[in-house]
Amino acid sequence: MRQASAADAAALSLVASATFLETFAGLLGGDDIGAHCAANNTPEKFTTWANDARGAVTIAEVENGHAPVGYAVLTVPDLPVDAGPADVELKRIYTLSLMHGSGLGPALMETAVDHAVRLGRKRILLGVYGRNLRAQAFYKRQGFQVIGERKFQVGTTFHDDVIFARDI
């Protein structure tokens, strides 16, 4: 695991689309998943996030061959809650399913928290799909609590999300 740079944008785009598809296939429509990934998992987006000093991007790779298997993105908050200058949003945190149970998820979270502390932030915010109970259980184990809700568009469909927060 390491802090990503703009040079990692293509690999991050690939793992972002793969993990989104793995996570939501069967829960969301296939056309909506494809449209969402095409619009939101571009190398350009990851380049912007990696170059923004107000956030941090972490990439997780397997040792043998350095294939990307997970990532996390911290950004300036863009959620419908009262966010202050001491807040940061965990915009993304995903691992490929082959890494589930390996400890990579908690390690990515720990790294994201470390980055947030180094950025001088006091609270991490995040949004998660309301029907993604596995992710919600993970966030609760990590000390997050529900503070709100939002509508989140994937493709052409709006879904109910839950907004979590954790003081750090």
Side-chain angles (χ1 to χ4, degrees):
M1 223 172 6
R2 61 181 172 79
Q3 187 160 352
S5 71
D8 297 304
L12 288 160
S13 174
L14 176 66
V15 76
S17 291
T19 55
F20 196 84
L21 177 60
E22 273 193 335
T23 301
F24 295 109
L27 292 175
L28 307 178
D31 289 343
D32 282 343
I33 292 171
H36 178 83
C37 290
N40 295 289
N41 294 340
T42 64
E44 293 78 18
K45 271 223 199 248
F46 282 99
T47 296
T48 298
W49 288 329
N51 287 336
D52 189 343
R54 299 169 299 171
V57 180
T58 302
I59 187 168
E61 302 168 320
V62 292
E63 188 172 343
N64 186 12
H66 300 281
V69 293
Y71 73 105
V73 176
L74 288 172
T75 66
V76 172
D78 181 24
L79 294 164
V81 296
D82 289 331
D87 292 333
V88 68
E89 181 181 350
L90 182 58
K91 176 86 82 195
R92 310 262 184 96
I93 183 169
Y94 285 95
T95 67
L96 288 172
S97 62
L98 69 95
M99 301 307 295
H100 291 178
S102 70
L104 180 57
L108 277 168
M109 182 62 77
E110 182 179 334
T111 300
V113 170
D114 289 346
H115 283 301
V117 168
R118 276 188 248 134
L119 291 166
R121 303 303 185 258
K122 304 291 183 200
R123 184 171 74 154
I124 298 176
L125 307 170
L126 63 88
V128 62
Y129 179 43
R131 291 179 46 203
N132 190 344
L133 301 180
R134 180 183 182 152
Q136 289 183 46
F138 172 76
Y139 297 133
K140 288 175 183 174
R141 286 192 305 274
Q142 298 297 315
F144 286 84
Q145 296 179 341
V146 174
I147 63 162
E149 298 175 343
R150 72 171 172 185
K151 294 287 186 188
F152 187 78
Q153 187 173 4
V154 177
T156 60
T157 307
F158 284 88
H159 301 276
D160 294 321
D161 276 9
V162 180
I163 300 172
F164 282 87
R166 173 186 165 185
D167 291 334
I168 52 173

